[in-house]
Amino acid sequence: MLAITTGFASGLALIIAIGAQNAFVLRQGLKRQNILAVVLVCAVADAILIGAGILGLGAVIETVPWVLVALRFGGAAYLIWFGIGSIRRATRPSILEASGQAKSNPSKAIGTALALTFLNPHVYIDTVILLGSIGNQFVNDRWWFWLGASIGSFVWFFGLGYFARLLAPFTSSLKFWRILDSLIAVVMFFIAGYLLFGF
């Protein structure tokens, strides 16, 4: 139980901070588009990365620094591109479907979720290196730690995706979408700037 609860708490603590991945899940939840696919991709990806860390991939990454450097610049470029897209949506509110009934492309949503997950070096630091290192402290119970951390990830992403609809009364306003997309753009640019200049 100690391993599971520590894993659950550690997993939540590291993923709750609003980042690129969370901002995207929030937006999909508000628009009620591809929620299940997106939250499953994010949660399963976290579980896989945490498991990889417990298997020792974190130690390998620490000995091959160019991997994180490549992720750093690739991730920053993608975040800037995504932020520009958010600005375009904010300045053209007519293309937003606040009702969430517009047709959407599941493949594109899944691709975006995967990119925001695997092109972000902080994901590897938080899951593979940090959670992997903490989990390995439990030795024989490390896979119970993995289970707890994975449950934490599932709880967070499903909660963020599905409870976002509590904001539904506001989503019929184009002003709401302008503000949301502007905030998402700021988050994307901030994280990209941090990757480029403050890593």
Side-chain angles (χ1 to χ4, degrees), residues 9-79:
S10 300
L12 279 180
L14 288 173
I15 65 174
I16 281 179
I18 293 297
Q21 189 185 48
N22 288 338
F24 179 68
V25 173
L26 177 63
R27 190 174 199 282
Q28 292 300 110
L30 287 171
K31 297 193 72 166
R32 302 180 188 179
Q33 293 180 347
N34 307 303
I35 304 174
L36 180 60
V38 168
V39 298
L40 273 177
V41 165
C42 293
V44 170
D46 269 11
I48 291 171
L49 290 170
I50 296 166
I54 289 176
L55 285 172
L57 184 58
V60 174
I61 289 177
E62 287 180 322
T63 61
V64 188
W66 66 263
V67 173
L68 280 179
V69 172
L71 287 169
R72 171 185 168 192
F73 287 102
Y78 186 82
L79 290 172

Side-chain angles (χ1 to χ4, degrees), residues 88-190:
R88 287 176 178 165
R89 286 193 300 270
T91 56
R92 298 176 187 172
S94 60
I95 68 170
L96 293 172
E97 298 290 341
S99 64
Q101 300 304 313
K103 292 181 179 179
S104 60
N105 187 332
S107 298
K108 184 177 179 181
I110 291 172
T112 300
L114 287 171
L116 290 173
T117 299
F118 292 106
L119 287 178
N120 183 358
H122 287 288
V123 169
Y124 294 91
I125 293 172
D126 291 346
T127 58
V128 177
I129 296 175
L130 292 180
L131 288 176
S133 298
I134 296 170
N136 278 309
Q137 302 303 310
F138 287 90
V139 192
N140 294 331
D141 290 330
R142 63 186 182 277
W143 291 110
W144 289 110
F145 175 91
W146 169 83
L147 178 62
S150 298
I151 290 172
S153 183
F154 273 83
V155 168
W156 171 254
F157 285 117
F158 272 82
L160 185 62
Y162 283 99
F163 285 99
R165 66 182 57 191
L166 294 177
L167 296 173
F170 304 99
T171 61
S172 59
S173 165
L174 292 177
K175 182 178 180 181
F176 172 86
W177 288 103
R178 286 193 190 100
I179 293 172
L180 178 66
D181 279 318
S182 297
L183 289 174
I184 289 175
V186 169
V187 170
M188 300 300 172
F189 292 142
F190 176 80

